[in-house]
Amino acid sequence: MKILGISAHYHDSAAALVVDGVPIAAVQEERLSRRKNDASFPLGAIEWCLDRAGLEPADLDAVVFYERSMLKFDRTLTSTLRAFPRSWRSFPSAIKNMLGEKVWARGIIASYLGVPRDRILFTAHHAAHAAAAFLTAPTKRAAILTADGVGEWATLTVGHGERTADGRTAITLLREIKYPHSLGMLYSTVTAYLGFAVNEDEYKVMGLAAYGRPAYADQVRKVVRRTADGAFTLDLDYFDFHTTAKRSYSSRFLDLFGPARNPYEPIDVGTPEGRRFADIAASVQAVLEEILVDIARSLRRETGLADLCIGGGVALNSVANARILNESGFDRVFVPPAPGDAGCSLGAALYADRIYFRQPDRDVPDHPFWGPVIDPGELARAATEDGQSLEELDDPALLERVADDLAAGRVVGWLDGACEFGPRALGHRSILAAPQPAAMRDRLNRDIKFREEFRPFAPVVPIEYAHRLFDLPPGGASLARFMSGVFPVRPEWRERLAAVTHVDGTARVQTLERAMAPRLYDLLEAYGRRTGLPVLLNTSFNLAGEPIVARAVEGYLTFRRCGIDVLVAGNAVVTKRVAAPAASIKEYA
Ligand SMILES: [Fe+2]
């Protein structure tokens, strides 16, 4: 069976293609359109997925949309009416948005793709999150926890999944928490209050939290209250997201926490005001962790299962994931590389395959590399035309050469094979650098990523070596496979890993198995032979505000616009000539 999954129209659109139960291709629209978090209907991603498999839309057995649009319309209408008359201003824009795009998803899909309407299916949004988490994890039975801002009505669900020996698959939902009570909305509200972009900069709140103390935790607990049944409820007096699209927090929220941050002023945690913002970030982070650990702990008791799969945007909170692993009683915690809405395209397709069409169970390869593949020839052409020096080296020579560069303090752009699906660079679209000098972090922030100082960089390390450097609990190395957990750097290594150790002594480490990205693994070993430490700083290959590069030519243009010294695509290596003039986008677009 050939099934296309689509997520679109909210945030970070994507398409994924599943053939005979296994993913063939999956990509976010932003990687192709080059518009960060592109939410438009993912025509480019769909076309690319179909091309990759040599299919036409008519060949598809089903197209699955990642939410039930009518239910979502119902939620928007109902919550708008319930908040009436406070919400009358938000009414026209909310309804227009729904009428314009979401409720007519079936018609849009049918007309864009030319597939019969009866081949278009819909999954519940959190079912897609649950499937993306459970059906891609290397486990046969697991508890499932999903949490995000909102889908149709659900904002958090708990349940369990099973893949039985006779090839059947079941995903059972036990309970859900409904909009407007939402941990995602709580976190996004604080994200907005702290002057960051909602649905994009939540990880900045997590980074900032490490600089503060949870001094406002009691205030946060007033805003989000625990209920007797172990759930939680938001006190809506503190919020405005359900009544207006303009601002997510209310004036009572400001009375409780003080004035919001001006987004145009930098945060200086050395000032009382900067500390207040860091403390508020630390407080919401602490309360979020508390609630998630609690819910996970009771899910563990209720199901008795050893494994937990977490999905939904909240699963990008790798500090919370590590606490869930440490404190909830589950032996293993799995988070997919794309737990957010983009990953729902894959989740929706897998859900339709296993549950709706009852196709036999299949193992899904445990890696994130489902996107466009690098063409090293493209880099060679661009570099040659641009007058840059290009070398083509076989793998052993290339790895030795690049390890020398890294050991000499050079920053390397690393393009290899297929693009990652999801927000993180896990070894195929990375900027790599020495992990030791703290000055490297500052240089990357200043000359390459153009971003705030308080955001940490992450290390990548061969899995066999990880325990020596990082304090990983049982199950920690597997949670760190896709950078989904934050763990302490062992104190004796913090100085030698200064560029990748956060202010609180932790790191969002990626533990690399050779089979997942063999060339990066071999590079780590070559670097380790030179420095005694097989660890590299690994950050996504993009500049601030831009999507991660997909094609070699995009990598090349980024390389020419920032302080990357050496660029590698497949077996092609380009070393920057300092005096060369900057290349223009137009030349290669
Ligand atoms: Fe979601």
Side-chain angles (χ1 to χ4, degrees), residues 8-13 29 35-42 101:
H9 293 158
Y10 177 57
H11 177 259
D12 216 4
S13 295
E29 185 70 6
R35 281 193 300 271
K36 178 107 167 151
N37 300 130
D38 195 342
S40 54
F41 188 80
E101 300 205 306

Side-chain angles (χ1 to χ4, degrees), residues 159-343:
H160 53 83
E162 188 171 12
R163 300 160 55 195
T164 54
D166 63 358
R168 281 177 307 144
T169 303
I171 292 180
T172 308
L173 176 70
L174 297 167
R175 269 181 304 287
E176 65 180 22
I177 294 174
K178 286 198 166 93
Y179 182 88
H181 307 291
S182 160
L183 292 178
M185 286 292 193
L186 168 72
Y187 211 83
S188 294
T189 297
V190 175
T191 302
Y193 169 86
L194 290 173
F196 301 125
V198 167
N199 279 332
E200 204 177 317
D201 287 348
E202 276 72 6
Y203 59 95
K204 292 186 185 176
V205 177
M206 194 178 81
L208 184 61
Y211 287 87
R213 292 171 307 111
Y216 291 82
D218 285 342
Q219 284 91 323
V220 177
R221 289 190 199 100
K222 277 189 189 162
V223 167
V224 54
R225 295 210 182 96
R226 305 307 307 281
T227 51
D229 58 357
F232 58 85
T233 160
L234 297 190
D235 184 335
L236 295 175
D237 285 349
Y238 293 103
F239 296 93
D240 265 344
F241 64 76
H242 54 303
T243 60
T244 167
K246 287 202 181 108
R247 198 174 76 170
S248 48
Y249 48 88
S250 72
S251 50
R252 276 197 66 190
F253 190 96
L254 296 173
D255 293 343
L256 196 61
F257 294 103
R261 180 182 152 246
N262 176 350
Y264 300 104
E265 279 174 20
I267 293 185
D268 180 355
V269 290
T271 65
E273 193 66 345
R275 265 198 305 280
R276 179 170 70 89
F277 294 131
D279 286 350
I280 291 170
S283 305
V284 72
Q285 175 68 29
V287 174
L288 173 89
E289 291 168 16
E290 219 167 85
I291 296 174
L292 287 171
V293 165
D294 234 40
I295 290 175
R297 200 181 279 145
S298 54
L299 185 60
R300 157 81 184 147
R301 272 197 305 270
E302 181 175 357
T303 61
L305 294 165
D307 292 344
L308 172 67
C309 297
I310 316 181
V314 174
L316 287 167
N317 196 309
S318 28
V319 177
N321 294 337
R323 268 198 70 186
I324 291 172
L325 173 67
N326 281 329
E327 297 176 37
S328 65
F330 285 103
D331 297 342
R332 299 192 297 177
V333 172
F334 298 106
V335 176
D341 282 358

